[in-house]
Amino acid sequence: MRTFFCTIFFILNIALLSYSQSKMPRGYGGLNLGVSFPVSDFPSTDPRNQDAGFAKTGFRLSMPFAYLFKDNFGFGGILFTQKNPLALPEVKNQYGLPSNVELGSIPWSAEGILAGIYFSFPVDTITRISLDIKLMGVVVEARLPVFFVNAVYY
């Protein structure tokens, strides 16, 4: 009797697993980590450049997601954050700060969300490839660096 129930349980599990794997997914979520390279005048440490950002290589984190309400229509978005630290020795040299001054900072940063309508059109249901189209709006909060100056007197 025990073998009979184990066999039935095993067959039902195989059937459910293969059925669940054959359908196109209703949604997804992900996590992306990467490097944020400053470009143009953003990484410049030239004291004559008014647009110099003194930014160094930082990181970027994003979390894409989507969910289909109907077969081809749903909601999707991306949450993201990006941070680029400052080249503090170059800032200290540009402003001629003495050696007894310690300089710290909060980095350049940007956080935001993209959200909107999500369309998905299956191209091949066997390999589960689909064409996705997203119409999104964005809200971004960008922050300038904040400096902390601590003068050490002996």
Side-chain angles (χ1 to χ4, degrees):
M1 190 68 162
R2 183 176 174 203
T3 308
F4 174 74
F5 283 118
C6 287
T7 305
I8 295 297
F9 179 74
F10 181 73
I11 290 171
L12 286 175
N13 276 335
I14 296 267
L16 288 173
L17 286 173
S18 58
Y19 177 74
S20 66
Q21 295 298 319
S22 67
K23 288 185 146 188
M24 292 294 283
R26 303 265 317 154
Y28 69 88
L31 178 66
N32 302 319
L33 295 169
V35 179
S36 170
F37 295 107
V39 295
S40 186
D41 288 333
F42 197 42
S44 175
T45 57
D46 183 6
R48 297 176 302 256
N49 184 356
Q50 292 181 347
D51 297 327
F54 294 90
K56 296 190 323 187
T57 301
F59 76 93
R60 180 174 171 85
L61 167 77
S62 64
M63 294 181 290
F65 59 90
Y67 185 78
L68 294 173
F69 300 122
K70 303 246 183 208
D71 288 338
N72 296 35
F73 174 75
F75 177 78
I78 301 171
L79 296 168
F80 68 89
T81 183
Q82 176 179 335
K83 303 215 181 300
N84 290 86
L86 289 169
L88 293 176
E90 287 83 355
V91 172
K92 191 172 177 180
N93 290 339
Q94 179 179 348
Y95 291 105
L97 298 175
S99 61
N100 68 329
V101 173
E102 296 174 357
L103 188 63
S105 74
I106 293 176
W108 293 95
S109 65
E111 292 85 26
I113 182 170
L114 289 99
I117 299 170
Y118 174 71
F119 298 97
S120 181
F121 302 100
V123 175
D124 186 7
T125 56
I126 294 171
T127 58
R128 298 187 341 176
I129 297 174
S130 63
L131 173 66
D132 297 341
I133 300 171
K134 301 173 187 174
L135 303 172
M136 293 196 232
V138 64
V139 175
V140 176
E141 178 181 356
R143 292 191 203 107
L144 298 173
V146 175
F147 290 100
F148 302 106
V149 179
N150 184 22
V152 179
Y153 297 101
Y154 301 101

